[in-house]
Amino acid sequence: EAWLDDRRFYVDRRVIVPRSYISELLRERLRPWRRRPVRRALDLCTGSGCLAILLALAFPKAKVDATDLSAAALQVARTNVNQYRLKQRIRLLRSDLFEALGKEQYDLIVTNPPYVDSRTMRTLPPEYDYEPRAALAAGRDGLDIVRKILLQARSHLNSRGVLVCEVGDARRALERAYPRLPFLWPETSDPHGCVLVLEREQLPG
């Protein structure tokens, strides 16, 4: 088991250990960055399903989609969704990011995607050997997955919808790659600020 935001989740080697700073923002229901009621929400790269569950608990009237490329990870997520008795409100889908979602649109998208660069992957502490490398590694600069999300998210957000994405130590690389995007970095317990917020109208495309 692992704990996130005082909630208990089942985990094993099929998923990374829940530790996303997005949980701290969900505790406050994303105030003041949320501009509209959340009726439909999406958790990309859901892994254990922890953020999807925290989404559903934070927004009791919302329907939540949770996607992951890994069928094994979705099995773990299903265990947790059932534990919290949320299977009527959380839909688990195997998908390469937005691929299986068609034209679905959401008021809120959250994601804690892989963002570890290739250099850091070679020097991770041994405890990370127990986690799937595909859930961590994101190419030379750590932005392989984040780039795809930024390019595709706009078409899956409703007007004034919001994207919340954790990027970890890839923040500097991201700001260099997208100098014109008005990233907002809400305060969390991470002193470096690793969670970005962008409204639909601020995203590329």
Side-chain angles (χ1 to χ4, degrees), residues 125-136:
E127 59 264 29
Y128 288 91
D129 292 339
Y130 293 91
E131 298 181 330
R133 293 184 71 81
L136 299 167

Side-chain angles (χ1 to χ4, degrees), residues 139-199:
R140 183 185 58 80
D141 60 0
L143 297 178
D144 283 4
I145 309 301
V146 174
R147 282 191 180 91
K148 293 178 182 179
I149 292 170
L150 290 177
L151 289 173
Q152 299 174 34
R154 183 185 178 100
S155 63
H156 291 279
L157 282 168
N158 293 320
S159 175
R160 300 181 75 84
V162 174
L163 169 70
V164 180
C165 178
E166 187 161 329
V167 297
D169 291 339
R171 173 175 172 171
R172 288 185 180 180
L174 181 69
E175 290 178 316
R176 288 194 299 268
Y178 296 92
R180 296 186 178 182
L181 287 188
F183 297 116
L184 178 66
W185 302 96
E187 182 178 346
T188 66
S189 58
D190 173 31
H192 304 295
C194 67
V195 178
L196 69 87
V197 175
L198 284 171
E199 292 188 7

Side-chain angles (χ1 to χ4, degrees), residues 72-103:
L74 289 172
Q75 292 174 354
V76 176
R78 186 166 289 107
T79 296
N80 285 314
V81 168
N82 290 340
Q83 174 182 303
Y84 280 89
R85 300 180 180 180
L86 287 169
K87 64 181 181 180
Q88 300 302 318
R89 292 179 49 218
I90 297 178
R91 179 174 64 153
L92 299 172
L93 296 166
R94 188 179 185 187
S95 180
D96 185 356
L97 299 180
F98 300 98
E99 191 174 84
L101 295 173
K103 296 182 179 181

